[in-house]
Structures are given as C-alpha cells and as structure tokens.
Amino acid sequence: NIVDVIKRAGLLCVGKLIISYIIGLLVIKVFGIEGVFGISAVAIIATVTSCNPGLYLALVNDYGDEIDGAAFGFLNLIVVPAVPIMILSSANGQGIDLKTIIANLFPFILGMILGNLDSDFKKLYAPATIILLPFMGICFGSSINIMVALKSGVSGIVLTALFYLVCLFPLLILDRKVGKRPGYAAIAMSSVAGLSISVPSLAAEMSKVYLPSMDVAMSQIALASIITSVITPTIIKYVINK
C-alpha cells in the first residue's frame, strides 16, 4: 500500500533531510567550510546525508517487512550526491538547483505511477531488488580505497561517532515515538555509502574553496563507510534481540 510506504518511509526520509540540512547549515555558519575537529564541512555534510541503500535493503530483508523494502525507492531519492551538494549551495547562499531535484524525483514518480496503474508492472520489477544487492555492494565497495580510508585516522572515527549521534538517535526516536515502529528501519538507514566519497570532489568542482580539504574529506568518509558497514548490522541485531 503506497499510503503505508509514504507514512513510514516518508517520515524517516524527511526527518533525515531536515536533520542533514540543519546540521550542514549550523556547521558552515558556526565553523565555516573548515569545519571542526579537523573534519571539514564537506565531509560532515556528505556523511550525515548518506545512507547505504544496499545495506538497508539487506537488513530489512532480514528484519523488516514488505513496506520497509518498498521504502528502498524513497532512500534512493535522498542518498544521491546531489543532496549534499544542494545543502552546500544553499548554506553558501547559492540557492537550490530545482533541475537536480526534478531529475532525482522523476524516475521514482514514474515507477510509482506505473506500479499503481498496472499490478503486473510491479510484479515484474519487484524481484529485481534482491538481484541488485550484490551489484550495488560491488559498486559501492569498489569506490572505497582502504589505504586512503586508514589515513584519516582518529578524525575518521570522530566523524563516524558524529554520524551516529546526529543521525541514528534522532531517527530512532522518530521511528519509535512518531511512527510507532520498533526502530529497525531507522537503524538500517544509519550507514554511510561508498558513493558519498565522490561528494568532496564534486564540491571542489563547484567551488575551488573546497579543494584543499578534498583528499582528507574523502579518506574520512571512506573510513566512516567501512566502520558503519560493520557496526550498523551489529546494532540492529542487538535491538532486535532486546
């Protein structure tokens, strides 16, 4: 039921977008693009907006239901690199590119319309989500350079802790208190995708002011991606057992 999907996934996705925008705005206004604790604003924004859809789908397939699986489409709207770039542009007073928003929304809206007009269309494509998992894993994993990730050291670990603090706990509270759910969907959303490593280079292309922090930011995001890929499944298993 599309209404149930919107109620459940929409709540978490909108919540994550609001949290990401507020955090991004605060970091740039208070600390500037240099950021804090050796972590640039680009690295922070790229991380807090991130979610690994492949890991989410794998976790909700084990612990969730059909509605949680259908939320996968919503996640793909908010985890593309365009979102942190739009937040950076907005925070710097450059405005938001509506063309980018429309380009992200169009495939989702088209699929939603076709799936509701013809149930056979939905049956045809629904099994493909399971098939996509290994390909998504390879795609995201191949973008992570382990040696670059390890170079970030303590700052990468601090960035990961910051991610869980500002993303996991608020989403978990939102899922439980407002959505009246156990919280496993919120936890499954709390991981950093390898795709987010591309954000610093995209930001540097947008403005040269981000160029000095690009390499460090990429290594910090890469380490956060590796750590959350291990910790998030452990957290959701612990919560389910409790």
Side-chain angles (χ1 to χ4, degrees), residues 134-146 194-195 197 225:
F135 294 100
M136 290 178 64
I138 292 170
C139 178
F140 290 139
S142 63
S143 64
I144 300 174
N145 186 320
I146 295 177
L195 186 62
I197 299 171
S225 176

Side-chain angles (χ1 to χ4, degrees), residues 78-235:
I78 67 169
V79 300
V80 291
V83 172
I85 295 300
M86 285 190 293
I87 293 175
L88 283 168
S89 299
S90 177
N92 286 325
Q94 297 174 357
I96 296 176
D97 186 0
L98 290 177
K99 290 182 180 179
T100 304
I101 297 175
I102 294 170
N104 286 325
L105 288 175
F106 181 74
F108 172 75
I109 294 173
L110 179 62
M112 185 172 64
I113 292 172
L114 292 174
N116 281 271
L117 288 176
D118 188 351
S119 59
D120 289 335
F121 187 89
K122 181 170 64 175
K123 291 176 183 177
L124 175 65
Y125 285 96
T129 54
I130 305 298
I131 300 171
L132 283 173
L133 275 176
F135 294 100
M136 290 178 64
I138 292 170
C139 178
F140 290 139
S142 63
S143 64
I144 300 174
N145 186 320
I146 295 177
M147 296 309 297
V148 171
L150 293 176
K151 287 179 182 178
S152 69
V154 176
S155 62
I157 297 173
V158 173
L159 179 61
T160 306
L162 180 66
F163 170 77
Y164 280 124
L165 181 65
V166 302
C167 291
L168 173 59
F169 292 112
L171 285 180
L172 188 58
I173 293 170
L174 192 66
D175 200 13
R176 285 184 167 178
K177 301 298 182 183
V178 181
K180 306 299 181 184
R181 301 292 302 164
Y184 49 75
I187 301 170
M189 284 180 62
S190 302
S191 61
V192 180
L195 186 62
S196 298
I197 299 171
S198 65
V199 173
S201 59
L202 292 173
E205 289 178 12
M206 180 181 69
S207 175
K208 297 300 180 184
V209 297
Y210 300 114
L211 191 59
S213 61
M214 183 180 73
D215 291 337
V216 176
M218 291 175 70
S219 66
Q220 291 167 341
I221 297 167
L223 185 58
S225 176
I226 293 171
I227 294 174
T228 56
S229 296
V230 176
I231 293 180
T232 296
T234 305
I235 294 174

Side-chain angles (χ1 to χ4, degrees), residues 1-2 4-6 8-9 56-57 60-61 65-76 108 122 129:
N1 189 318
I2 188 64
D4 292 332
V5 175
I6 292 173
R8 194 182 302 181
Y56 170 85
L57 194 57
V60 296
N61 278 339
D65 55 26
E66 260 186 37
I67 297 176
D68 293 316
F72 175 77
F74 277 90
L75 281 184
N76 282 290
F108 172 75
K122 181 170 64 175
T129 54

Side-chain angles (χ1 to χ4, degrees), residues 20 23-49 84 87-88 91-92 159 162 199-200 203 209-210 213 217 220-221:
S20 302
I23 294 299
L25 201 64
L26 284 175
V27 168
I28 289 181
K29 297 300 180 184
V30 176
F31 302 106
I33 61 172
E34 295 82 12
V36 62
F37 302 130
I39 308 169
S40 66
V42 175
I44 293 173
I45 293 172
T47 302
V48 298
T49 56
I87 293 175
L88 283 168
N92 286 325
L159 179 61
L162 180 66
V199 173
V209 297
Y210 300 114
S213 61
Q220 291 167 341
I221 297 167

